[in-house]
Amino acid sequence: FYNNRLTAIPDGVYRLPSLLEIDLFHNQIEKLAPEFVNWKKLHTLYLSHNRLLELPENLNALTSLAGLYLWDNRLTRLPENLGAMTSLKYLRVNHNYLRALPASIVNLDLEEIDISHNFIEAMPPELFNYSKLKIFAITDNPWNPATRELLKTKVAELRAREVFVHMSEEDEQKH
């Protein structure tokens, strides 16, 4: 379904309970229908480069989901229960309109997170504690002073653990 100018996910796709991966990248999709909960075995969901305005609050019904790729949409928030998605390892929500992260995000143990190019001002310190973290992309967000101070020590710690940290030169110079 890649690059097909879809404005909605075809109804028949929601009736595929054994679906493991779906690539809906580069379409014009604005929302997920409630039937998405049928994707009980879904491992990877590519919905980047669409027009998503919001995500369903029950997104955590996708209990097998390991990869959630939502960059370049119009999201202003993530569901608060995102942290209940214990299988989630890869979260890419860069290039959206996010202003904050759900508090529950600290319950995850992500390997990759990209929150770059949003409007996020604060980051919970626990976000730096993911034990399996390999990629941490945070560039181009308007960090508040407390978060900038946090970045001074935490980024060095992550790099010492060989985590790739992507941040803007401006953020690098400020710490």
Side-chain angles (χ1 to χ4, degrees):
F1 297 106
Y2 174 89
N3 199 17
N4 276 296
R5 296 190 185 114
L6 297 174
T7 56
I9 299 169
D11 290 340
V13 176
Y14 291 112
R15 292 189 296 271
L16 300 171
S18 297
L19 192 65
L20 297 177
E21 179 176 297
I22 187 163
D23 186 350
L24 295 157
F25 186 87
H26 213 283
N27 282 290
Q28 298 169 9
I29 298 167
E30 294 183 3
K31 66 178 183 176
L32 285 173
E35 294 80 11
F36 81 91
V37 298
N38 295 334
W39 296 335
K40 298 291 184 199
K41 297 181 181 180
L42 192 67
H43 186 265
T44 309
L45 178 57
Y46 295 100
L47 269 168
S48 298
H49 289 284
N50 275 284
R51 295 181 179 172
L52 289 174
L53 297 170
E54 63 183 5
L55 296 171
E57 285 302 317
N58 61 338
L59 188 67
N60 63 330
L62 301 178
T63 56
S64 298
L65 197 66
L68 184 56
Y69 300 91
L70 299 167
W71 72 81
D72 194 22
N73 274 287
R74 298 173 182 176
L75 298 171
T76 57
R77 59 181 294 280
L78 298 173
E80 182 51 47
N81 59 15
L82 184 74
M85 300 178 73
T86 55
S87 295
L88 196 61
K89 300 297 173 205
Y90 310 99
L91 179 63
R92 303 266 175 148
V93 291
N94 47 303
H95 291 91
N96 275 286
Y97 299 94
L98 301 175
R99 297 200 172 279
L101 297 171
S104 69
I105 198 168
V106 301
N107 298 331
L108 301 173
D109 195 10
L110 297 172
E111 293 180 26
E112 297 179 11
I113 182 171
D114 190 343
I115 56 173
S116 301
H117 304 283
N118 277 289
F119 298 93
I120 301 169
E121 295 181 9
M123 189 181 324
E126 298 87 355
L127 211 59
F128 297 91
N129 298 337
Y130 293 144
S131 64
K132 298 174 184 168
L133 193 62
K134 295 178 182 134
I135 296 175
F136 191 66
I138 58 172
T139 192
D140 288 333
N141 279 289
W143 304 120
N144 65 27
T147 298
R148 287 193 185 282
E149 197 61 34
L150 183 66
L151 291 173
K152 288 181 183 179
T153 56
K154 295 297 186 177
V155 167
E157 290 173 13
L158 288 176
R159 288 184 171 148
R161 290 179 20 214
E162 299 184 2
V163 173
F164 175 78
V165 178
H166 182 232
M167 52 192 300
S168 64
E169 286 183 34
E170 178 185 338
D171 285 335
E172 288 278 355
Q173 293 169 356
K174 289 183 180 177
H175 88 272

